[in-house]
Amino acid sequence: MNGEPCLRIAASGTATAHVKQPLPAILIIPPLFDEANRLRRTLVLMMHTLAGNGHDCLLPDLPGQNDSLLPNDLATLSLWRDAVSTFSATMDGPLMTASWRGGALIDDAANSAIGHWRMAPLAGSSIVRAMVRTRLAGDKEAGRQSTAESIRASAADGPVELAGYHLCSSMIDQLETATP
């Protein structure tokens, strides 16, 4: 996406001969943040299975995530939506999206998609709550006093660390209001 790395697994040519129209390519939109790391192997295995059935599959990195060179504190949900839109516009032929959890917050940005598979879609506010709880638990273990409100307030001064990711206030605000 916009120069970001992308894993592509091409169809193996095992699709049946009676198929008259090309099968849609599948744009995989992983869950966001740490959940993407935990699900990546499963997604790649699924991509191999779909490719064996004639679908090209693509798993691009979102800007600021995985192997992206963009620092994650510069990423926003709108940047990710723009990246999905731009990437999907480069695709020839039919395209479907398959998204997991928070990925369903940005999959509809693939304007050329003929359909969307959404697995366990999750509201952005749920993602933020889970990340804040992780931060609160880490702060408590380290002997620091913090509250959800103080963490959110500190985001106004600059990026805040949540569950190992440095998020800008724009990302947090956009996630808070995003729904699949």
Side-chain angles (χ1 to χ4, degrees):
M1 285 192 212
N2 300 337
E4 300 294 347
C6 176
L7 173 63
R8 180 183 184 120
I9 298 176
S12 64
T14 59
T16 58
H18 70 276
V19 176
K20 294 183 179 13
Q21 294 187 10
L23 292 174
I26 311 293
L27 176 60
I28 307 294
I29 315 261
L32 306 179
F33 306 110
D34 186 52
E35 286 185 325
N37 298 328
R38 289 181 270 148
L39 198 58
R40 191 162 180 96
R41 182 177 189 282
T42 301
L43 294 177
V44 171
L45 291 173
M46 182 204 64
M47 291 171 69
H48 282 287
T49 300
L50 287 168
N53 288 305
H55 294 275
D56 282 351
C57 297
L58 301 109
L59 177 60
D61 284 341
L62 296 170
Q65 298 292 287
N66 300 323
D67 293 328
S68 170
L69 297 178
L70 183 77
N72 60 24
D73 63 339
L74 298 179
T76 63
L77 206 58
S78 57
L79 175 66
W80 288 350
R81 291 180 60 75
D82 289 345
V84 168
S85 177
T86 300
F87 188 80
S88 67
T90 66
M91 301 297 300
D92 291 328
L95 173 71
M96 291 191 69
T97 65
S99 61
W100 281 259
R101 313 270 297 152
L105 300 173
I106 59 174
D107 66 351
D108 63 327
N111 298 323
S112 61
I114 60 173
H116 304 282
W117 292 332
R118 289 181 168 170
M119 280 52 87
L122 194 61
S125 59
S126 295
I127 296 169
V128 172
R129 270 194 311 276
M131 294 176 85
V132 168
R133 279 194 305 266
T134 301
R135 166 73 185 270
L136 289 170
D139 284 355
K140 183 176 181 180
E141 190 171 309
R144 292 187 296 261
Q145 295 288 327
S146 62
T147 64
E149 295 76 23
S150 67
I151 292 169
R152 284 191 172 96
S154 68
D157 298 328
V160 63
E161 187 273 324
L162 294 177
Y165 293 87
H166 292 89
L167 304 182
C168 65
S169 62
S170 295
M171 173 63 96
I172 295 169
D173 292 344
Q174 290 173 18
L175 281 170
E176 286 281 6
T177 60
T179 57

